[in-house]
Amino acid sequence: RDAQESRGLGDVYKRQALDRKAADAYLGLAKVNIKLGDYDGATIALKAGIKYSKKRSEKLDLWAQAIRIENLRGNTKTAKKYYRKAKGIRGSKQHAEIHVAMAQAYIMMQEFDDAESLLKIALGVDSDFKQEAEQILLNLQLIERAVAITQSEFAYETTISREEIADLLVRELNVLEKIGEAKTAPSVGEKSDQGLTDYSTSKYVTAILAVHRLGLRSMRVRNGAFQPHRDLKRVELALLIEDILHEKFAVSRTQFIGTDSPFNDLASSNTGFNAMMTAVTRGLIQGNQSGNISPDQLVTGAEAILVLHQLNSILSQPSVGG
């Protein structure tokens, strides 16, 4: 549905741009194409927008999207080149988005000091990008902590997929050994493997099969689809934590049912409420100062690594409270 709405909106922007040669229409079209994963189409729209733009603010908006596209493509050198071009436009220092976008590129290049400097510039500007800058800065701090304890390439990822979580569980956490082979479900055969149909081409196929047999709720299959590339949400991470603690220590999966939620954005009736409370009360997941726990927010690679390493420490203890 979102993709259909995006395509429909893209058609509107396209007609507007063709009719009026309007830079803002090309910017809108580029954003839609980015959302759809059509980076080539977005680049074409941006080039046209830059050509027709007359206002400095429009040019900076367009260059910011160009930097974001190159980040998504992994072309950090090109992102750097576009940032230099944007900086040549008067008023660029007060344009928070170009600094935020370039900070993400610096993180990909593991140039953390430069990323932090740009994020601080962005935070000093009164703009709509303050929250994004704050979130990236927080993630940068998580990345620095994560790389101090692991060499995993996942530490730098802004999201982490189900197949990557499976790999972390098997390779970093060694969950099979921690909770015991006896508690894993028996396989019905490698070819069908209990109905899995979309895992065979994954580079993490062994980890997917191993984790799938644990019966973790976050790793469940629907209609034979493991969906290895789907990104994990925080509530799904909480469910994973609770299931592992339940298998290892018989931690209750109903302990908090009937209690009031301490979070503004997670009702006690939510199916993931007990799991989130289990994770929070053990210091594995934290809310923010506003009282939100962000259950549907996608988990970053660094957050996943840090949480699972903390979970690993708990699993190494002889017992844990229920």
Side-chain angles (χ1 to χ4, degrees):
R1 181 180 174 181
D2 288 343
Q4 288 178 341
E5 288 178 357
S6 294
R7 289 191 184 94
L9 187 58
D11 289 340
V12 172
Y13 282 129
K14 196 170 185 178
R15 286 195 298 272
Q16 288 177 343
L18 288 172
D19 291 342
R20 300 188 300 148
K21 300 291 188 289
D24 59 343
Y26 283 112
L27 176 64
L29 179 59
K31 288 181 178 180
V32 169
N33 283 335
I34 291 172
K35 191 172 182 179
L36 293 172
D38 181 5
Y39 303 144
D40 290 340
T43 299
I44 291 170
L46 288 172
K47 286 181 177 178
I50 290 169
K51 176 181 177 182
Y52 293 114
S53 61
K54 296 178 182 178
K55 299 177 183 177
R56 288 193 294 269
S57 59
E58 286 180 343
K59 290 183 185 293
L60 288 166
D61 286 341
L62 290 156
W63 281 121
Q65 296 308 311
I67 295 167
R68 289 188 187 275
I69 289 171
E70 297 309 318
N71 286 343
L72 291 166
R73 283 175 165 158
N75 297 334
T76 51
K77 287 184 179 179
T78 306
K80 217 169 184 177
K81 181 179 77 173
Y82 289 166
Y83 180 66
R84 285 196 298 269
K85 288 190 175 187
K87 279 178 64 180
I89 299 171
R90 199 167 76 186
S92 61
K93 189 168 184 179
Q94 298 301 308
H95 196 279
E97 190 178 10
I98 64 166
H99 308 307
V100 169
M102 190 61 215
Q104 290 175 311
Y106 276 132
I107 290 172
M108 290 178 66
M109 292 185 279
Q110 300 178 31
E111 296 178 14
F112 298 149
D113 290 342
D114 289 330
E116 187 172 346
S117 295
L118 291 187
L119 290 170
K120 287 179 178 177
I121 292 173
L123 288 169
V125 177
D126 186 15
S127 75
D128 295 334
F129 297 96
K130 264 193 174 179
Q131 186 174 355
E132 184 181 359
E134 288 172 353
Q135 187 60 48
I136 295 171
L137 185 58
L138 175 62
N139 191 47
L140 174 57
Q141 293 164 350
L142 293 179
I143 289 171
E144 291 177 314
R145 287 170 53 199
V147 297
I149 63 174
T150 180
Q151 297 300 311
S152 174
E153 68 276 12
F154 301 152
Y156 305 100
E157 296 189 3
T158 54
T159 60
I160 191 161
S161 66
R162 286 160 60 86
E163 63 179 359
E164 291 168 337
I165 283 287
D167 183 62
L168 282 176
L169 287 171
V170 172
R171 182 165 51 88
E172 295 275 340
L173 188 60
N174 199 6
V175 69
L176 295 179
E177 181 181 303
K178 288 292 193 317
I179 70 174
E181 291 282 359
K183 294 191 176 182
T184 62
S187 173
V188 296
E190 292 300 315
K191 289 184 179 179
S192 62
D193 199 73
Q194 300 169 312
L196 278 180
T197 60
D198 63 344
Y199 70 97
S200 60
T201 59
S202 170
K203 63 184 288 190
Y204 306 110
V205 58
T206 302
I208 288 172
L209 290 174
V211 170
H212 171 57
R213 291 177 199 145
L214 294 174
L216 304 174
R217 284 170 291 176
S218 296
M219 298 288 111
R220 280 181 180 166
V221 172
R222 290 177 175 82
N223 299 322
F226 181 80
Q227 297 179 294
H229 303 301
R230 183 166 68 78
D231 292 326
L232 201 76
K233 298 178 180 179
R234 297 190 91 205
V235 68
E236 293 173 321
L237 180 61
L239 287 164
L240 184 150
I241 290 167
E242 186 174 63
D243 283 348
I244 291 173
L245 290 176
H246 177 76
E247 290 296 332
K248 177 68 174 178
F249 300 115
V251 165
S252 173
R253 290 188 284 200
T254 60
Q255 178 183 356
F256 299 98
I257 292 177
T259 63
D260 292 334
S261 175
F263 309 113
N264 299 325
D265 56 351
L266 181 67
S268 57
S269 58
N270 187 290
T271 54
F273 174 70
N274 198 87
M276 191 65 83
M277 289 297 293
T278 296
V280 168
T281 54
R282 286 162 177 79
L284 296 170
I285 293 178
Q286 292 83 36
N288 63 23
Q289 293 179 340
S290 301
N292 295 327
I293 197 68
S294 305
D296 294 324
Q297 181 176 300
L298 296 178
V299 179
T300 68
E303 181 182 10
I305 288 168
L306 291 170
V307 168
L308 292 182
H309 272 262
Q310 286 180 275
L311 178 60
N312 192 26
S313 297
I314 293 174
L315 295 177
S316 299
Q317 298 171 8
S319 63
V320 65

